[in-house]
Amino acid sequence: MSETLFILGREPELSVAELEAMTTAWSAAVTVASTSVALVRHEGGLPDRALDRLGGSVKQVTVLERWPITTNLVTTLIEELSGDWAQKLFPDRGRIEFGLSVYGASNSERAAVNRQGLRLKKELVHSGRPVRYVTSREPQLSAVTVKKNGLLEKGKELVFVKTAPEVIVGLTAAVQDYEAYGRRDFGRPAANPKSGMVPPKLAQMMLNIAGVQPNDVLLDPWCGSGTILQEAALMGVKEIYGSDLEPKAVKSAQENIRWLFKEFPHLRADVEITMRDARQGSIAADVIVTEPDLGKPLRGHEPQPWLHQQAKKLQIMYWQCFEQWKKKLRPRGRVVMIWPEFVVGGADVTIDIEQAVRNLGFRQEPLLSSASARTMNVANPSVLVYARDDAKVRRQIRKWTLR
């Protein structure tokens, strides 16, 4: 049994949900190791560049060993993190370049570990090796820092995860390709950041949570600029349909998909994008992944009656869509969908049609296992949120299966 650590992104609950959705394909099991780290135990190796398939994880770390915590974390690292141990990681006699990242530790513990890194550098220099120790003002080395300092190609990032009984020690094998996400987000010809479009990372997470497979027929009935369609194509989905009621959105999505096939000429997918009301769909799909109309943009001073009125309009529209999808989805069809949560002036207004959707024959699925939900203190594992702290509209991610 092999072990790999995944360093979780900004929304750790969604990141773990995404990893758990991959367990069947990977013959793996997921355990939450700390607030920002998941441990994946797997039979054999993971797919090449497994991290590229994940929108919610920022580092992939190969576990080397485990060190029992004797007195405390710092004492353990001073005892174990020696020059002799480090020399084994750099068996040739050339230049040593390394960085340290500690997860699950306090600020004082991280500062002490950094001091130990400096002592380790001096010890290695005294042994006759040229050494470069990469540090950062951030609590841990970011994916950007690791990549820009060449630690994957000509050096190593040592990762330490503090758990209750021990320290898990690993080497970073891959970091999230932030440049590729930037190209697929703002490098497209019809990118419009002001429209609130789904980020590619979130699109990936939603597709993975939906369990999308290459032979699935995928539909996004509110396709906007086509982000979910593009990420599905990059995942190898062969038959993809997108639609939107706004002519500008349809044109943008079509333009972006043409760009995608020029940028990635190896892609083999049929993508059809049309102008259509989501409530009048005609595609027999296996899976629907979508961010619908979330209502009018908020300025932050809307009265509660207005927010409830907007939510009611959206509830009617969403229910009408589920009524249509019940007729068109294939057996065991899945829907992964964003619902808005309006947070203005202390108000917290949400969409309330869960029972109505169940009455149509859909089952709402938990996104997190009960064990992960307990560890991460998630009260409702069927609803996970993607939002910035100051967001007026929070995205709630939900998954439904047609019974």
Side-chain angles (χ1 to χ4, degrees):
M1 183 74 73
S2 301
E3 293 183 322
T4 300
L5 296 168
F6 285 90
I7 309 303
L8 309 175
R10 194 188 76 199
E11 304 289 352
E13 296 85 2
L14 268 174
S15 302
V16 172
E18 180 184 35
L19 284 168
E20 290 187 332
M22 305 298 293
T23 55
T24 300
W26 288 355
S27 300
V30 178
T31 304
V32 178
S34 79
T35 55
S36 58
V37 183
L39 175 68
V40 177
R41 294 183 174 92
H42 47 95
E43 298 286 351
L46 294 178
D48 291 339
R49 293 292 303 180
L51 188 66
D52 290 344
R53 172 69 188 248
L54 303 172
S57 297
V58 297
K59 293 181 188 176
Q60 180 178 332
V61 180
T62 302
V63 174
L64 298 179
E65 52 192 278
R66 295 165 181 259
W67 295 340
I69 294 179
T70 50
T71 305
N72 54 50
L73 173 67
V74 176
T75 301
T76 299
L77 291 186
I78 290 174
E79 292 173 351
E80 300 286 351
L81 189 55
S82 64
D84 290 340
W85 183 85
Q87 292 270 16
K88 296 176 184 177
L89 296 178
F90 299 89
D92 60 51
R93 299 301 302 170
R95 179 182 176 87
I96 293 176
E97 299 191 24
F98 75 99
L100 305 178
S101 287
V102 185
Y103 296 88
S106 65
N107 290 336
S108 60
E109 287 174 323
R110 284 195 294 266
V113 171
N114 183 54
R115 290 193 294 272
Q116 176 61 14
L118 293 170
R119 285 194 290 267
L120 178 61
K121 175 184 176 181
K122 291 179 181 178
E123 186 176 345
L124 293 168
V125 168
H126 288 318
S127 72
R129 304 283 295 273
V131 181
R132 176 172 174 251
Y133 175 43
V134 177
T135 61
S136 171
R137 293 182 179 178
E138 300 168 300
Q140 297 89 20
L141 300 183
S142 68
V144 175
T145 299
V146 171
K147 186 170 183 179
K148 287 193 172 181
N149 283 276
L151 290 181
L152 296 179
E153 296 80 18
K154 57 185 180 180
K156 299 183 189 299
E157 182 196 21
L158 296 169
V159 172
F160 305 95
V161 179
K162 179 187 176 184
T163 65
E166 61 189 359
V167 179
I168 304 174
V169 185
L171 283 179
T172 299
V175 297
Q176 196 173 66
D177 191 344
Y178 57 91
E179 292 175 331
Y181 282 110
R183 286 195 302 275
R184 303 203 309 264
D185 198 351
F186 304 110
R188 299 178 296 173
N192 182 8
K194 295 182 180 180
S195 68
M197 60 188 184
V198 176
K201 293 179 186 179
L202 177 56
Q204 267 189 315
M205 285 191 277
M206 292 174 67
L207 289 162
N208 283 326
I209 288 170
V212 170
Q213 301 297 318
N215 292 328
D216 281 336
V217 176
L218 179 131
L219 169 66
D220 179 357
W222 273 284
C223 69
S225 59
T227 307
I228 290 172
L229 310 182
Q230 96 179 0
E231 296 304 314
L234 290 168
M235 285 184 178
V237 180
K238 300 295 188 295
E239 191 172 353
I240 302 169
Y241 295 90
S243 59
D244 205 288
L245 191 57
E246 294 294 329
K248 183 178 179 181
V250 172
K251 183 179 178 181
S252 294
Q254 291 171 338
E255 187 176 357
N256 286 336
I257 292 299
R258 285 193 294 269
W259 169 87
L260 181 75
F261 280 95
K262 290 180 181 178
E263 289 288 307
F264 301 90
H266 66 280
L267 290 181
R268 296 292 181 268
D270 292 326
V271 183
E272 180 181 304
I273 303 170
T274 57
M275 188 169 68
R276 184 184 295 121
D277 190 318
R279 294 165 289 188
Q280 300 172 355
S282 60
I283 303 299
D286 297 294
V287 59
I288 294 171
V289 179
T290 193
E291 176 177 68
D293 180 356
L294 302 182
K296 296 180 180 179
L298 303 184
R299 295 184 178 181
H301 50 70
E302 288 79 5
Q304 284 200 34
W306 187 92
L307 293 174
H308 284 284
Q309 183 181 29
Q310 174 154 259
K312 186 175 181 179
K313 289 180 181 178
L314 294 176
Q315 287 173 183
I316 294 170
M317 180 169 58
Y318 294 175
W319 184 86
Q320 290 172 337
C321 289
F322 275 97
E323 189 178 35
Q324 181 68 28
W325 296 341
K326 177 184 177 181
K327 303 172 186 175
K328 293 298 181 181
L329 269 176
R330 291 171 177 166
R332 301 285 301 169
R334 294 95 68 201
V335 177
V336 171
M337 184 177 179
I338 291 171
W339 288 7
E341 177 184 347
F342 305 126
V343 184
V344 175
D348 192 353
V349 180
T350 60
I351 302 300
D352 185 19
I353 57 168
E354 290 181 343
Q355 188 57 54
V357 173
R358 292 190 193 100
N359 292 342
L360 288 173
F362 289 87
R363 180 178 66 248
Q364 188 168 13
E365 305 285 0
L367 304 181
L368 282 174
S369 67
S370 56
S372 294
R374 284 194 302 271
T375 302
M376 306 186 84
N377 296 317
V378 175
N380 184 359
S382 297
V383 180
L384 298 180
V385 173
Y386 183 94
R388 297 192 179 277
D389 292 339
D390 60 348
K392 300 179 183 67
V393 179
R394 293 156 56 91
R395 291 172 162 116
Q396 294 184 348
I397 315 299
R398 299 166 183 258
K399 180 179 180 180
W400 302 85
T401 300
L402 182 62
R403 292 195 290 258

